[in-house]
Amino acid sequence: MIPLLFSCEHATCAVPEAWRDLFRGHEETVESPEGWEPGALNLAQGFAIKLRIPLAHGDVTRLLIDLDAAGEERWSRFSATLTDAQRTKLIERHETKHHDVLCARATELLRHVPAVVHLMVHTTPDDSGAVVLETSSPDTPAARWADTWAHLLRQNPEPLRVETRTATLPAPTASLRLFFGPAAYSALALRVSQSFFLEGRPWRWEKLKKHLADTLAATAKELTVSQESPSSPQY
């Protein structure tokens, strides 16, 4: 079994009917990269299909509630005006629901594998043409996945800017790590420049998506086999 958990928090710029007045006159902002991450859901769905792993994703614009944040940082300049009751309703309907899905899937995976790696798929509003893999520490299973995946991504005749780095990951990953423990849960954030999706540069989007999915599958095959080997360290 592949020990991966997939999520895409900023998948859409959708605004439920009940909240449309909040953004009236600001529709272009909602549809811009400020309201979602263009290409992220398309990429995450490609991974889910390739590896046959369920995908958990956000279902509203992050300008309504940001599933990658906690506390006051959840709220944008638009949703900051909501009442406590309205905020509680949004948290229950979107954030808690998303968190519960991730917890349930991680729990199921941990019945079969010693550790789960949570892959969060993002695109970034820049034209750097970079593919970035972020983990919270170099001493986690997620970091091992990032290093192996980055190595495979670089094995291509056409240059691709691939970076691995340690960073502070989104707040919700901290609660999952606390719930399952750092030995059983670690997170990996993939951040892909939106220039691939919006402008087809420096690579065409479909070409990049295929390369990312193929190399992720190869990473899963390599690390899953080594994890199952009696001589390999267990996490």
Side-chain angles (χ1 to χ4, degrees):
M1 177 174 289
I2 300 175
L4 284 178
L5 183 66
F6 285 158
S7 72
C8 180
E9 282 66 30
H10 302 149
T12 180
C13 58
V15 178
E17 181 66 37
W19 306 103
R20 287 187 180 168
D21 283 347
L22 192 65
F23 300 100
R24 198 167 302 282
H26 300 280
E27 289 80 5
E28 288 188 4
T29 300
V30 175
E31 294 171 2
S32 77
E34 187 178 351
W36 68 310
E37 293 179 356
L41 180 59
N42 181 263
L43 182 57
Q45 288 174 329
F47 292 162
I49 292 170
K50 178 73 175 182
L51 279 76
R52 299 182 181 180
I53 293 174
L55 170 66
H57 62 82
D59 57 357
V60 294
T61 174
R62 62 180 170 185
L63 292 176
L64 187 58
I65 181 170
D66 189 340
L67 299 183
D68 251 0
E72 288 300 312
E73 292 184 0
R74 294 183 182 100
W75 314 112
S76 70
R77 65 184 187 277
F78 300 102
S79 54
T81 62
L82 297 176
T83 65
D84 288 345
Q86 289 173 318
R87 290 184 177 192
T88 297
K89 182 182 294 186
L90 284 170
I91 290 170
E92 291 174 349
R93 289 186 178 179
H94 303 287
E95 181 181 292
T96 302
K97 178 181 176 182
H98 183 67
H99 184 271
D100 288 350
V101 168
L102 291 173
C103 278
R105 290 179 180 169
T107 299
E108 177 60 27
L109 275 173
L110 288 170
R111 292 175 181 163
H112 307 280
V113 298
V116 168
V117 172
H118 178 188
L119 175 60
M120 299 168 290
V121 180
H122 293 276
T123 62
T124 56
D126 60 63
D127 59 0
S128 66
V131 173
V132 179
L133 300 171
E134 292 181 348
T135 56
S136 61
S137 167
D139 301 317
T140 61
R144 187 180 176 208
W145 277 75
D147 289 342
T148 303
W149 194 7
H151 174 74
L152 293 174
L153 282 169
R154 295 183 180 113
Q155 305 307 304
N156 191 288
E158 187 173 344
L160 178 66
R161 180 180 168 189
V162 181
E163 302 175 11
T164 58
R165 64 191 182 204
T166 301
T168 300
L169 295 185
T173 65
S175 64
L176 290 167
R177 186 171 62 251
L178 181 64
F179 183 81
F180 291 107
Y185 170 91
S186 58
L188 166 60
L190 168 68
R191 304 189 187 280
V192 177
S193 172
Q194 288 173 9
S195 63
F196 290 101
F197 182 75
L198 297 176
E199 302 170 28
R201 63 181 180 87
W203 284 20
R204 289 182 296 103
W205 176 249
E206 290 302 320
K207 176 182 177 180
L208 176 71
K209 186 168 72 168
K210 183 178 187 305
H211 187 46
L212 285 167
D214 288 348
T215 50
L216 178 59
T219 300
K221 182 177 181 180
E222 179 176 334
L223 295 185
T224 301
V225 168
S226 66
Q227 183 174 323
E228 292 172 351
S229 170
S231 61
S232 298
Q234 297 298 303
Y235 294 95

